[in-house]
Amino acid sequence: MIRIAVDAMGGDFGPSVTVRACLAFLDSHPEAGVVLVGQPDVLATQAQFPRIQSHPRCQVLAATEVVTMDDPIEVALRRKKDSSMRVAITQVKNGSAQAAVSAGNTGALMAIARYVLKTLEGIDRPAIATQLPNAAGGATTVLDLGANIDCTEDHLFQFAVMGSALVSAIADKPSPTVGLLNIGEEAIKGSEIIKKAGELLRSAAKSGDLNFHGNVEGNDIFKGVVDIVVCDGFVGNVALKASEGLASMIGGFIKAEFSRNIFTKAAAIVAYPVLSAFKNRVDHRRYNGAALLGLRGLVFKSHGSADAFAFERALNRAYDAARNNLLERVQERIAHAAPLLAKAALGPAGATGAEVPVVQADPMPAH
Amino acid sequence: MIRIAVDAMGGDFGPSVTVRACLAFLDSHPEAGVVLVGQPDVLATQAQFPRIQSHPRCQVLAATEVVTMDDPIEVALRRKKDSSMRVAITQVKNGSAQAAVSAGNTGALMAIARYVLKTLEGIDRPAIATQLPNAAGGATTVLDLGANIDCTEDHLFQFAVMGSALVSAIADKPSPTVGLLNIGEEAIKGSEIIKKAGELLRSAAKSGDLNFHGNVEGNDIFKGVVDIVVCDGFVGNVALKASEGLASMIGGFIKAEFSRNIFTKAAAIVAYPVLSAFKNRVDHRRYNGAALLGLRGLVFKSHGSADAFAFERALNRAYDAARNNLLERVQERIAHAAPLLAKAALGPAGATGAEVPVVQADPMPAH
């Protein structure tokens, strides 16, 4: 049985969201189990707690501490050693669970996951990957979203490999297409690092390690030109947040125009079914659950403000990743592409292997 | 009289758009003049050409060549020396016009403008600045949008100074606020370059050279937290294009939902006035006219796909910039802030003054 370890205390709403989401998840996944980690006294205040506590496929595990949204990474990592977040990740480490999900502080989650699980062989830096809806009716997976601000071509290449493994596992696409985010489609565009990453990706495409589409531009993320868009964490974070800002502005404008006067309010009633169909189509909750890739264990990050519906989506995603052996897929692909990286490393601009800070930016404060 | 030199041939629609826009501009600006530059035989095919040709405040100037959208920079710069684009910019150089406007190839425009006009003293690299609508009901000016992909802290600082001058001239805000685009609001976030740029900007704020707000994140562009957002051209280009992609996806979804069946089509009719008010609110045509800043002359870039309404907006913007002495404002501000930059240059990471390619990315192919 695949078990998901859940940090019940994380996120803006803690157990009031996580417990309900876990129950719904267990209902819809008769083969799955949950390890629910939290402070017993807080969990006990939840109306639905007795139901989950007595659930045959749920194990409740006590943790005495909670990582808060503004805990510095050092505090989360060094001082709160019995946090619900850490205990959940430890379940993955010791094999009691196949994936961990938390809606808590992203920086702390990445730091603890990296410390407890370590990175996979061949991966210099873990990355954060999320899905965004696209005009083609599917989703585009974008990485990195803020774990790494300065990336070499090797890092970008590893992101491409990990992203391909993720999409092949979760979206059931055996050979998803990869685009390198750039400021023009031509191979001569961009910084030296981008150009070298492009060369690596083209070599990998030739040897069948990747399905490399070529350079893509910012608008292609939402056009759905490729399955995976690869970029450094600074660019990815800015692009994601700019998009969130724009979506929220547009939503605000639509609302404002429909509430202007009695006539527009009447129009809103008539248009309601259409507007809610539209809203459903761009509902970011459906895409909740960012993957922390490159670790020796599966960890998924839910938005802090997720409701039970959104949190359940993150649980589903973690379950699909575990069920489809995401970890093995990443490992296999990285091992297969290793000769390419080794060859590139002989050049002057190979990976330095230097240790870097764990997480630079929280990709998801805005929803 | 302030005269605007217009590249009549530029853009997807050439004179069919530019001639009409110039007539409307002359009508609404009784103090302004236009120097219309184009191929006489093509201009003569326009129904409205006789009207503008006989207009007392319009001078028609012949150019034998046209820079096309896919002309390489070298061709535009070295081979087409009598292009409408170049002749228009030359009018600014020789004082016959106070600003030039073109809807042509951005890379060629920046290259020719830089070659003909040269950069201002104290400016290492010209930048491209545009305005985006924000939820606060105003506009956020963002730069750079693709002229420079690798920027030092000095470049970012110069962008802040130039952006402040632009907004003070065009939006009549004497002390507009500046935000440094980053992946977190705290001063400790971001790359070394971003941190150093933040230090420079804080010093400038102390000495009264700038109204520095601090770091901003991607979503703040559309929230309208600050008047000006400063970033390198790679990040700015990706953020702008990602936003364009998202806006276009949302527009497509709204359209699709309203045309689903006879009921939703009826709802669309009822909601039409509201939807068009909304559309007007996010109409990118209103924000047409990106400024090429840092040159010894005013040059504005219109979207290639601009219609007459949008092109006229770019003309208005160029006119306002000339009327409010944008060039002098930039020069004054740069001169005033020079001691700060000189001080910073004594440090190990001062500007190298190295020559860089003229334009890296066209910021505006998507509309």
Side-chain angles (χ1 to χ4, degrees):
Chain A
M1 182 166 70
I2 288 169
R3 274 191 200 86
I4 309 296
V6 177
D7 168 11
M9 313 300 291
D12 300 347
F13 311 112
S16 68
V17 154
T18 55
V19 170
R20 269 204 297 144
C22 286
L23 279 170
F25 169 74
L26 288 167
D27 281 351
S28 61
H29 293 79
E31 313 273 294
V34 161
V35 183
L36 190 73
V37 186
Q39 291 171 305
D41 50 336
V42 181
L43 289 176
T45 62
Q46 295 300 313
Q48 298 196 292
F49 183 63
R51 242 193 89 199
I52 201 154
Q53 199 181 19
S54 60
H55 197 289
R57 286 178 281 121
C58 181
Q59 176 200 353
V60 177
L61 212 56
T64 54
E65 288 163 309
V66 173
V67 172
T68 66
M69 282 301 190
D70 39 41
D71 268 341
I73 287 175
E74 300 70 36
V75 171
L77 193 59
R78 317 259 171 239
R79 284 201 236 142
K80 295 189 170 174
K81 295 196 176 168
D82 195 41
S83 70
S84 55
M85 188 185 270
R86 180 141 174 188
V87 173
I89 292 170
T90 306
Q91 302 316 301
V92 177
K93 168 78 177 172
N94 66 26
S96 311
Q98 283 65 53
V101 177
S102 173
N105 182 330
T106 312
L109 185 67
M110 180 60 107
I112 294 172
R114 208 174 158 164
Y115 179 81
V116 171
L117 298 171
K118 314 296 178 212
T119 50
L120 283 171
E121 198 175 321
I123 298 292
D124 296 319
R125 302 189 187 180
I128 304 176
T130 199
Q131 289 196 304
L132 294 167
N134 65 40
T140 308
T141 297
V142 184
L143 74 164
D144 174 44
L145 291 174
N148 311 284
I149 51 171
D150 288 308
C151 294
T152 66
E153 58 274 22
D154 287 14
H155 300 140
L156 293 170
F157 177 74
Q158 291 166 14
F159 297 168
V161 173
M162 296 194 289
S164 297
L166 176 68
V167 173
S168 78
I170 288 195
D172 200 26
K173 289 193 178 181
S175 184
T177 51
V178 175
L180 179 62
L181 192 58
N182 205 341
I183 53 171
E185 284 174 18
E186 309 85 350
I188 55 146
K189 289 275 186 179
S191 66
E192 283 312 305
I193 288 172
I194 296 282
K195 284 183 214 165
K196 284 182 190 158
E199 284 169 29
L200 270 176
L201 290 166
R202 272 187 294 277
S203 309
K206 270 183 206 150
S207 58
D209 286 317
L210 271 177
N211 188 354
F212 183 50
H213 166 92
N215 288 339
V216 293
E217 298 190 71
N219 46 329
D220 295 325
I221 296 172
F222 294 101
K223 265 195 203 162
V225 170
V226 289
D227 296 310
I228 298 138
V229 170
V230 169
C231 57
D232 75 43
F234 193 101
V235 172
N237 190 271
V238 167
L240 178 71
K241 285 191 183 157
S243 308
E244 288 177 345
L246 176 61
S248 142
M249 180 186 87
I250 291 177
F253 282 176
I254 293 180
K255 202 174 267 182
E257 290 301 339
F258 273 110
S259 23
R260 194 175 283 281
N261 58 46
I262 192 159
F263 301 106
T264 59
K265 281 177 187 161
I269 294 169
V270 175
Y272 181 78
V274 185
L275 292 175
S276 50
F278 161 69
K279 207 175 159 189
N280 186 41
R281 206 149 158 175
V282 289
D283 187 356
H284 58 74
R285 298 182 306 158
R286 289 199 293 149
Y287 301 93
N288 189 36
L292 272 54
L293 292 171
L295 302 164
R296 294 177 195 269
L298 299 177
V299 181
F300 281 76
K301 163 75 176 91
S302 158
H303 263 288
S305 65
D307 60 11
F309 171 80
F311 196 80
E312 191 191 343
R313 299 297 294 216
L315 295 174
N316 292 350
R317 196 149 294 180
Y319 179 76
D320 287 344
R323 190 170 51 95
N324 294 316
N325 304 313
L326 173 56
L327 217 56
E328 289 71 25
R329 288 185 195 229
V330 172
Q331 263 169 325
E332 257 170 43
R333 282 174 181 255
I334 281 288
H336 201 259
L340 269 172
L341 276 174
K343 215 170 107 189
L346 294 175
T352 61
E355 192 60 15
V356 288
V358 277
V359 124
Q360 299 293 336
D362 189 331
M364 29 189 86
H367 316 154
Chain B
M1 184 164 73
I2 288 168
R3 272 191 201 85
I4 309 297
V6 178
D7 169 10
M9 313 300 292
D12 299 349
F13 310 110
S16 68
V17 152
T18 55
V19 170
R20 268 204 299 144
C22 285
L23 279 169
F25 169 73
L26 287 167
D27 281 351
S28 61
H29 292 78
E31 312 273 296
V34 161
V35 183
L36 190 73
V37 187
Q39 291 172 306
D41 50 336
V42 181
L43 288 177
T45 63
Q46 295 302 311
Q48 296 197 293
F49 183 62
R51 242 195 89 199
I52 201 155
Q53 198 180 20
S54 61
H55 197 290
R57 285 178 281 123
C58 182
Q59 177 199 353
V60 178
L61 212 56
T64 53
E65 290 164 309
V66 173
V67 172
T68 66
M69 284 301 191
D70 39 40
D71 269 341
I73 286 175
E74 301 69 37
V75 171
L77 193 59
R78 318 256 171 241
R79 284 201 237 142
K80 294 190 169 173
K81 294 198 177 167
D82 195 40
S83 71
S84 55
M85 189 184 268
R86 179 137 172 191
V87 173
I89 292 170
T90 306
Q91 302 316 301
V92 177
K93 168 78 177 173
N94 66 24
S96 310
Q98 282 65 54
V101 178
S102 173
N105 183 328
T106 312
L109 186 66
M110 180 60 107
I112 294 173
R114 208 171 158 166
Y115 180 79
V116 171
L117 299 170
K118 314 297 178 209
T119 50
L120 282 171
E121 197 177 320
I123 298 292
D124 296 320
R125 300 190 189 179
I128 303 175
T130 199
Q131 290 196 302
L132 295 167
N134 64 41
T140 307
T141 297
V142 184
L143 75 167
D144 174 43
L145 291 176
N148 311 284
I149 50 170
D150 287 309
C151 294
T152 66
E153 58 275 20
D154 287 15
H155 300 139
L156 294 170
F157 178 74
Q158 291 166 14
F159 298 168
V161 172
M162 295 193 290
S164 296
L166 176 68
V167 173
S168 79
I170 288 194
D172 200 27
K173 287 192 179 180
S175 184
T177 51
V178 175
L180 179 63
L181 192 58
N182 204 340
I183 53 170
E185 284 174 18
E186 309 84 350
I188 55 146
K189 288 276 186 180
S191 67
E192 284 310 305
I193 287 172
I194 295 282
K195 284 183 213 164
K196 283 181 192 161
E199 283 168 30
L200 269 177
L201 290 166
R202 271 188 293 279
S203 307
K206 272 186 204 148
S207 58
D209 286 316
L210 271 178
N211 188 354
F212 183 50
H213 167 91
N215 287 339
V216 294
E217 297 189 73
N219 48 329
D220 294 326
I221 297 172
F222 294 101
K223 266 196 202 162
V225 170
V226 289
D227 296 309
I228 298 137
V229 170
V230 168
C231 56
D232 74 46
F234 193 101
V235 172
N237 191 272
V238 167
L240 179 71
K241 286 190 183 154
S243 308
E244 288 177 346
L246 175 61
S248 144
M249 179 186 89
I250 291 178
F253 283 176
I254 293 180
K255 203 175 266 179
E257 290 301 339
F258 273 110
S259 22
R260 194 173 283 279
N261 58 44
I262 192 159
F263 302 106
T264 60
K265 281 177 187 163
I269 294 169
V270 175
Y272 181 77
V274 185
L275 292 175
S276 51
F278 161 71
K279 208 175 159 190
N280 186 39
R281 207 151 158 174
V282 289
D283 186 357
H284 57 74
R285 299 182 307 159
R286 290 199 294 148
Y287 302 93
N288 188 37
L292 272 54
L293 292 171
L295 302 163
R296 295 176 194 270
L298 299 177
V299 181
F300 282 75
K301 164 75 174 89
S302 160
H303 264 288
S305 66
D307 59 11
F309 172 80
F311 196 80
E312 191 192 342
R313 298 297 295 217
L315 295 175
N316 292 347
R317 198 150 292 182
Y319 179 75
D320 287 344
R323 191 169 53 94
N324 294 316
N325 304 312
L326 173 56
L327 218 55
E328 289 70 27
R329 288 185 196 229
V330 172
Q331 263 170 324
E332 257 170 43
R333 281 173 182 257
I334 282 288
H336 200 258
L340 270 172
L341 277 174
K343 215 170 106 192
L346 294 176
T352 62
E355 193 59 12
V356 288
V358 278
V359 127
Q360 300 292 337
D362 190 331
M364 29 192 88
H367 316 156

